[in-house]
Amino acid sequence: MGEPMPVRVMVTDVWDEVELQVAPSSSLGEVKRLALERTRVSRNPDDYLLKFRGAELRDESRTLQEAGVVPNAPMIVLPRRRQPLR
């Protein structure tokens, strides 16, 4: 499983950044789910995408290690579809 490593995830729905301690063997989908859960976003995680270094991480079954995510890496979770302004 490996030593936990810190990652920072910005969730744009609430403009909040969370710090997570996750194993390098954690899936990208799990990191996204945890970030949404910590920021109390209750929508389906499938409605969101995860980005690292400006690129969408499409295969969320891959691990952090496989995706090249390093300790303290900043990631971002944002809606797949843009929300209209109200």
Side-chain angles (χ1 to χ4, degrees), residues 5 52-53 62-71 73:
M5 70 175 194
F52 175 58
R53 294 184 175 158
R62 293 176 60 202
T63 67
L64 292 170
Q65 190 170 26
E66 291 170 338
V69 177
V70 296

Side-chain angles (χ1 to χ4, degrees), residues 4 19 29 34-36 38 44 49-50 52 62 65 75 78 81 85-86:
E19 292 186 23
L34 284 170
L36 291 168
R38 286 267 177 92
N44 185 340
L49 57 91
L50 181 66
F52 175 58
R62 293 176 60 202
Q65 190 170 26
M75 303 172 87
L78 60 156
R81 299 183 189 272
L85 292 176
R86 294 175 193 215

Side-chain angles (χ1 to χ4, degrees), residues 4-73:
M5 70 175 194
V7 292
R8 296 176 291 130
V9 185
M10 169 61 80
V11 179
T12 61
D13 266 11
V14 291
W15 289 106
D16 197 5
E17 182 177 85
V18 293
E19 292 186 23
L20 302 173
Q21 292 286 329
V22 292
S25 60
S26 298
S27 73
L28 298 169
E30 178 69 7
V31 170
K32 179 175 74 171
R33 188 191 63 74
L34 284 170
L36 291 168
E37 187 177 281
R38 286 267 177 92
T39 55
R40 296 186 174 104
V41 174
S42 59
R43 289 179 50 200
N44 185 340
D46 292 338
D47 293 341
Y48 293 86
L49 57 91
L50 181 66
K51 285 190 170 188
F52 175 58
R53 294 184 175 158
E56 180 181 354
L57 300 170
R58 293 175 190 234
D59 183 358
E60 293 180 2
S61 66
R62 293 176 60 202
T63 67
L64 292 170
Q65 190 170 26
E66 291 170 338
V69 177
V70 296
N72 292 308

